[in-house]
Amino acid sequence: MVNLGDEFPNFKADTTIGPIQFHEWMGDSWAILFSHPADFTPVCTTELSRVASLVPQFEERGVKVIALSCDSVESHQKWIDDIKSYGKHTCEDFPFPIIADEGRTLAVQLGMLDPSEKDKDGLPLTCRAVFILGPDKRLRLSMLYPATTGRNFDEILRAVDSLQLTDNKKVATPADWKSGGDCMVLPTVKESEVASAFPKGFSVLTVPSGKKYLRVTPQP
Ligand code: BEZ
């Protein structure tokens, strides 16, 4: 199990682009590892197709993506043909690698098994995990969805935008924030420092407690 802020394991794995050592594969990029219950399953096929469409948007943000499923590289390669056909992707090479975790070693190490979903042999499948890692290889955000609920990849892009913004600016992003929207000034910024730290201006919302903690500023 990896907690937020922990260094992500530097595992070795077989993938559709050959063997990788995870940290070397990441290089200096951000990375997203997302797992799937199994190859040739409907929701997973829609998810991998969606990510293939979004690769340019991940690249714009300096993020490399990699998928994982508990089947072999040979199985993944055949499945990729279906994913490309489903999504009408015309690329020759699939735009991101898929890890083969046939022995479920990574699924166990990363706490991704979903006991409620079993394969034909009764073995638990991986849930839909998402791990977003910073260039320092530390876990910045994780999500766990059950096999029956496909993920919203716009939300994952939105989360990357928030992580990258809040790394550099003294703001946090509120509920349903989208890139370009108003932000909240961090509680750690002293009242006397807000005006100089946020030259675009800020407003303090009035609340019954009288506390001045709802400080809104345009996205820096
Ligand atoms: C799917 O990808 O559609 C799926 C996989 C395992 C269990 C349920 C759904």
Side-chain angles (χ1 to χ4, degrees):
M1 189 72 188
V2 188
N3 294 313
L4 292 186
D6 287 352
E7 186 175 274
F8 209 71
N10 187 17
F11 58 83
K12 271 191 187 141
D14 285 332
T15 79
T16 49
I17 56 162
I20 61 158
Q21 186 82 46
F22 187 59
H23 287 189
E24 280 66 53
W25 172 81
M26 274 185 71
D28 295 328
S29 298
W30 287 69
I32 298 181
L33 189 159
F34 59 110
S35 68
H36 294 272
D39 293 2
F40 303 105
T41 49
V43 176
C44 300
T45 303
T46 63
E47 289 191 324
L48 272 92
S49 170
R50 175 79 176 126
V51 175
S53 303
L54 290 176
V55 161
Q57 295 190 53
F58 284 115
E59 281 174 355
E60 269 171 30
R61 293 159 171 81
V63 181
K64 293 174 94 169
V65 289
I66 190 162
L68 176 150
S69 177
C70 292
D71 288 296
S72 65
V73 168
E74 294 69 34
S75 166
H76 292 347
Q77 297 289 13
K78 291 194 185 106
W79 184 31
I80 280 174
D81 290 338
D82 286 4
I83 298 164
K84 288 194 329 198
S85 164
Y86 166 79
K88 300 186 173 47
H89 299 290
T90 51
C91 51
E92 184 66 32
D93 295 324
F94 198 62
F96 58 88
I98 309 175
I99 296 169
D101 190 29
E102 270 187 292
R104 289 162 168 70
T105 317
L106 285 171
V108 171
Q109 185 180 5
L110 300 173
M112 297 191 298
L113 288 180
D114 180 352
S116 65
E117 293 293 341
K118 305 239 168 53
D119 69 6
K120 59 180 173 17
D121 302 318
L123 291 171
L125 294 168
T126 41
C127 61
R128 301 185 190 283
V130 180
F131 297 106
I132 304 183
L133 315 175
D136 59 0
K137 321 287 187 290
R138 293 189 183 277
L139 179 64
R140 301 296 309 279
L141 185 151
S142 66
M143 301 176 186
L144 288 183
Y145 279 45
T148 44
T149 303
R151 288 158 285 196
N152 181 329
F153 287 90
D154 288 328
E155 166 58 9
I156 293 170
L157 276 173
R158 191 194 75 91
V160 169
D161 285 340
S162 172
L163 289 168
Q164 294 185 340
L165 172 71
T166 58
D167 260 0
N168 299 313
K169 309 286 178 191
K170 294 174 179 169
V171 291
T173 59
D176 299 333
W177 171 87
K178 288 201 181 94
S179 185
D182 283 351
C183 299
M184 312 307 289
V185 175
L186 284 182
T188 48
V189 180
K190 292 194 189 109
E191 207 172 324
S192 58
E193 292 167 356
V194 182
S196 57
F198 298 97
K200 287 187 185 174
F202 70 99
S203 53
V204 183
L205 305 187
T206 308
V207 283
S209 68
K211 295 182 193 290
K212 296 180 175 176
Y213 62 96
L214 283 165
R215 301 178 295 181
V216 182
T217 187
Q219 180 175 319

